[in-house]
Amino acid sequence: MHKTLIRIAVAAAWLTSAVVAQAQAWPTKPVKIVVPYPPGGAVDVVTRKMAAKLQEQTGQTFYVENKAGATGTIGLATVVQAPADGYTLAANDTTYALLPHIFKKLPFDHQKDLLPVSAFVFAPMGLVVKADSRFKTLGDLLAAAKAKPGDITYGTGGAGSAPHFASEALGIAAGARFLHVPFKGAGEATMGMLSGTVDFQLASTPGVMGNVKGGKARLLAVSGERRLSALPEVPTFAEAGVKNFGLINFTGLFAPKGTPQAVVDRLQKEVATAMASADMKAFAEGIAAEPGTWDAAAFAKELSERTAFWGRIAANTAFERE
């Protein structure tokens, strides 16, 4: 009996050491990053850039697979169901913190089934109008909205999207009421703004800078603590008079629950190394975003706080969960 227990203990120790060694050697084969949205969006673009950098640093293939649908939950569910070995990851943005307030029931445990590993490339929210809009400043737009509540319109890629809730948060912070016009995707919402179908669009700066730089649209304000280096003439929301609107979008990597801590630590370290590089800093600044990282603890804390924040906004928004 005693010898049997010794054999079991030795076998368990060997298995544990083997698992640890395997985790420390990660990655030894291609790593898939699931982007739960269509190609071309901000999360997709930023994740592909990070994947290329991680591949350069580790010498192993990192590739993106787009699996869109149901506000990202379809793609995220596939990662939850994947082996927790570090070879299937998920990417997402602030929308992840919205999910409990969009759906009555999710196909996974929002708090437990995905581990936040690291967040990077922090993009302000920008309020954009068409180039010849009658609104020259944020103050002009807010004055019109307060004079005729519900008369000023904004477009988003759909009800329950991050821009939808962010625009409602802006209205609450500014003491104004806007009318939401949902489109079938962010691209259509942008066309609605450029054509004048809606008065404004609120989106992360990487998604609007192309039209701004091309002269088709104008930024009236950006979130964050400081102005964009690319457009120093554009004030922050605080400078424009809205003190309590500082939303910043992020891109982050998640791993399935149970992923070895050694893998999480290695991935976190590689992401930090990537964002410290000159080319990743230049990339972030080129899309009007800020370089930097949150480690796993900071990322988890931010997600918890952001989830609670969106819950308060949802309680004041005319939105029925699916």
Side-chain angles (χ1 to χ4, degrees), residues 32-314:
K32 177 173 68 177
I33 306 177
V34 175
V35 170
Y37 308 112
V43 175
D44 182 66
V45 171
V46 172
T47 302
R48 288 179 185 276
K49 183 68 175 179
M50 177 56 74
K53 192 64 178 178
L54 292 176
Q55 180 167 312
E56 175 189 315
Q57 291 176 185
T58 64
Q60 188 54 259
T61 300
F62 281 73
Y63 67 99
V64 169
E65 180 179 289
N66 297 91
K67 193 173 288 292
T71 319
T73 57
I74 291 176
L76 293 174
T78 66
V79 177
V80 168
Q81 296 160 6
D85 56 8
Y87 293 98
T88 303
L89 308 171
N92 213 324
D93 60 0
T94 191
T95 305
Y96 187 79
L98 270 170
L99 295 179
H101 312 301
I102 299 174
F103 299 99
K104 293 178 182 177
K105 186 176 181 180
L106 291 170
F108 52 85
D109 189 316
H110 182 262
Q111 293 184 316
K112 297 179 180 179
D113 284 346
L114 287 171
L115 304 175
V117 176
S118 183
F120 49 92
V121 181
F122 306 103
M125 302 292 289
L127 191 149
V128 66
V129 297
K130 65 175 185 172
D132 60 352
S133 170
R134 63 190 172 102
F135 302 117
K136 306 304 179 186
T137 68
L138 179 62
D140 293 340
L141 187 146
L142 293 179
K146 292 176 182 179
K148 293 183 178 181
D151 189 57
I152 301 302
T153 57
Y154 69 90
T156 74
S161 63
H164 174 203
F165 277 70
S167 298
E168 292 298 312
L170 172 62
I172 292 170
R177 184 161 62 85
F178 312 118
L179 177 63
H180 179 215
V181 180
F183 290 83
K184 294 179 180 179
E188 286 192 17
T190 297
M191 293 305 297
M193 176 273 296
L194 293 175
S195 67
T197 301
V198 293
D199 292 304
F200 74 91
Q201 183 182 20
L202 186 65
S204 62
T205 49
V208 302
M209 287 303 290
N211 286 314
V212 172
K213 290 181 177 179
K216 296 179 180 179
R218 286 186 293 109
L219 266 177
L220 299 188
V222 294
S223 63
E225 297 179 354
R226 55 181 178 273
R227 299 187 180 197
L228 297 175
S229 57
L231 292 171
E233 71 278 10
V234 178
T236 65
F237 279 100
E239 290 173 330
V242 183
K243 302 296 184 183
N244 299 315
F245 186 77
L247 283 175
I248 297 292
N249 198 23
F250 58 82
T251 302
L253 293 179
F254 298 77
K257 177 181 66 177
T259 299
Q261 187 61 45
V263 171
V264 172
D265 292 344
R266 173 74 188 282
L267 179 57
Q268 181 177 284
K269 180 181 178 181
E270 293 295 342
V271 170
T273 299
M275 288 312 306
S277 68
D279 56 335
M280 286 300 289
K281 287 181 178 179
F283 166 74
E285 292 167 356
I287 59 172
E290 294 287 336
T293 58
W294 288 331
D295 62 17
F299 191 12
K301 181 176 183 293
E302 181 65 27
L303 281 174
S304 177
E305 293 175 353
R306 193 76 64 99
T307 301
F309 170 78
W310 288 130
R312 294 192 294 272
I313 299 302

